[in-house]
Amino acid sequence: MDFRLGKQAESLRAEVRAFLDQHLTDELVERCHRTGVAHDAGFVRAMHEAGLLALGWPEEWGGRPCDALGFCVLEEELSRAEAPYYGVSTTHMVARTVLRCGNDRQRAEIIPPAVRGEIVIVLGFTEPECGSDLAAARTRAVRDGDHWVVNGSKMFTTNAHVGDHVLLLARTDTSSKHEGLTTFLMPLGQPGIEVQEVRTVSGERTNITYYRDARVHDDWRIGEVGGGWRVLGEALQEEHSTGFGASMVRLLEAAEGWARSAPGRPAPGGAVRPRIDDPDVRERLGRCATEAEVSLLLQRRAAAMARQGVAPPAEGPMSKLFSSEALTRAAEDLFDLLGPDALRSRLSPAAPEGGRVEHAMRFSLGTTIYGGTSEIQRSIIARRGLGLPR
Ligand SMILES: Cc1cc2nc3c(=O)[nH]c(=O)nc-3n(C[C@H](O)[C@H](O)[C@H](O)COP(=O)(O)OP(=O)(O)OC[C@H]3O[C@@H](n4cnc5c(N)ncnc54)[C@H](O)[C@@H]3O)c2cc1C
């Protein structure tokens, strides 16, 4: 078994790094951190011009050939560098769902601008009363001639304030739980939709969105009436296969940078050695490095399965579950290691390594929630991986 990614993927890695060196400035990273918005139109345009946005899309849709492992490398590099990519990732996830479940007109109108980075599509699944149990959605869509009229609210609609469309999960029939759901690609910029800012503990900006007699044409229904649960399954499959190994690598680099420069206790002869020489520091860094490697390998395994045309039923959730919990463990461990200095917040001038350890401590908490909580991932693994009953 060869765990190396191969020449093609490694040459893509070099290309992505060169792009990031040129376009991902410290100023941009800082702006994204202050606003909490992981999307930047200028950065997305630059990715398109560099040919990186179209990676993995079929050539007939303007894509550039790239297999799942190459795509994995792109995501590893973007996430390690803290690039503002989340808007692209939801847009492309929905565009791929349109490719599989939409009709010809929807494909023609959505996929080309999505591949060029000209539109932003966000996810409107979670509601104030339901997140894990999405089939309990109560936001109603009622037919009115050629249109549907939508009333309700959606929680955590990340990037709705910069989005053009939302993939909305709505209830069209109250007599059946799962078969009463339908999905729509709804235009966001209309009077019946209100977007209100919500800030998370890690500083990410997300939104609550209210729908009051908002309208969507039936042409923008994705799939059958009552077929929303199947469409949602297509979309969520990808979210359940994410991983946070690259975020751990970033955290490890920050902790190692600190350990190389922070002075330790003087040795008996009086010489002050850096903290990196301290066995406890090495043990913690070693633990983090090991779990970062396992996280990367789990995500690459899910990608390798996708490349072979196998949707990773339990392996994707294993990647999401292990890496988000490993990131939380590592952030707590390294926070503890840095002592009181770790409390200095991200971007504070006195914070060690730009406050990345402090930020990782907060950021890691969200990773165990979005894209399906750890409990939900464990249930999926038990059911699909071990064949246990529901
Ligand atoms: C930063 C951030 C960004 C997000 N962005 C989006 C977005 O863009 N679009 C979107 O639609 N959603 C988004 N979400 C929502 C996210 O997917 C949900 O928060 C998540 O699915 C959990 O739902 P919930 O918050 O309603 O918690 P709940 O479902 O109420 O869960 C509460 C607790 O109960 C546990 N639990 C629930 N059901 C079970 C069960 N069956 N078995 C065992 N334990 C269970 C959960 O694990 C959790 O610990 C975002 C969330 C965050 C934090």
Side-chain angles (χ1 to χ4, degrees), residues 86 90 122-134 154-160 166-167 198-202 204-207 232 236 239-240 363 365-377 379:
Y86 188 66
T90 57
V122 303
L123 312 178
F125 307 150
T126 307
E127 298 192 359
E129 299 300 323
C130 70
S132 301
D133 183 15
L134 286 174
K154 291 284 173 183
M155 188 61 186
F156 298 125
T157 319
T158 307
N159 282 331
V166 55
L167 182 66
V198 172
R199 283 278 185 154
T200 67
V201 66
S202 60
E204 285 161 281
R205 184 206 157 132
T206 176
N207 304 284
L232 187 77
L236 289 184
E239 266 209 314
H240 287 169
F363 171 77
L365 300 175
T367 65
T368 64
I369 298 173
Y370 47 70
T373 65
S374 289
E375 288 75 18
I376 296 302
Q377 305 299 343
S379 295

Side-chain angles (χ1 to χ4, degrees), residues 35-188:
T35 57
V37 181
H39 174 74
D40 181 84
F43 180 78
V44 173
R45 211 168 26 249
M47 274 189 78
H48 166 60
E49 282 160 11
L52 292 175
L53 215 52
L55 274 181
W57 278 94
E59 282 174 272
E60 60 179 301
W61 293 110
R64 172 178 163 193
C66 166
D67 67 16
L69 282 179
F71 200 73
C72 200
V73 162
L74 172 75
E75 292 200 323
E76 280 175 19
E77 290 305 315
L78 292 169
S79 140
R80 178 166 161 252
E82 304 176 314
Y85 183 65
Y86 188 66
V88 170
S89 110
T90 57
T91 302
H92 282 196
M93 174 178 145
V94 175
R96 279 189 287 271
T97 305
V98 169
L99 185 63
R100 291 191 290 261
C101 308
N103 58 36
D104 285 347
R105 178 180 165 202
Q106 291 165 350
R107 287 190 199 102
E109 291 197 22
I110 290 299
I111 296 172
V115 173
R116 292 193 297 263
E118 292 164 1
I119 54 171
V120 175
I121 312 178
V122 303
L123 312 178
F125 307 150
T126 307
E127 298 192 359
E129 299 300 323
C130 70
S132 301
D133 183 15
L134 286 174
R138 289 198 295 201
T139 293
R140 285 298 312 271
V142 176
R143 187 114 197 197
D144 177 23
D146 288 343
H147 284 76
W148 294 81
V149 180
V150 178
N151 280 284
S153 53
K154 291 284 173 183
M155 188 61 186
F156 298 125
T157 319
T158 307
N159 282 331
H161 64 299
V162 292
D164 301 287
H165 309 270
V166 55
L167 182 66
L168 189 86
L169 181 71
R171 180 153 301 286
T172 45
D173 180 357
T174 51
S175 66
S176 163
K177 188 173 178 184
H178 292 82
E179 280 88 53
L181 295 166
T182 305
T183 40
F184 300 92
L185 199 53
M186 186 157 187
L188 276 164

Side-chain angles (χ1 to χ4, degrees), residues 249-313:
V249 170
R250 180 81 184 184
L251 173 63
L252 181 65
E253 285 168 355
E256 210 180 314
W258 166 83
R260 287 190 189 284
S261 59
R265 271 186 235 109
V272 175
R273 309 284 306 168
R275 291 296 305 273
I276 195 100
D277 288 350
D278 181 341
D280 174 50
V281 173
R282 287 164 173 260
E283 189 181 318
R284 294 188 202 224
L285 293 179
R287 194 157 50 222
C288 176
T290 308
E291 295 209 342
E293 186 69 16
V294 175
S295 300
L296 289 172
L297 289 175
L298 283 173
Q299 191 169 11
R300 289 175 191 169
R301 178 174 67 158
M305 288 175 74
R307 182 166 70 160
Q308 288 154 8
V310 184

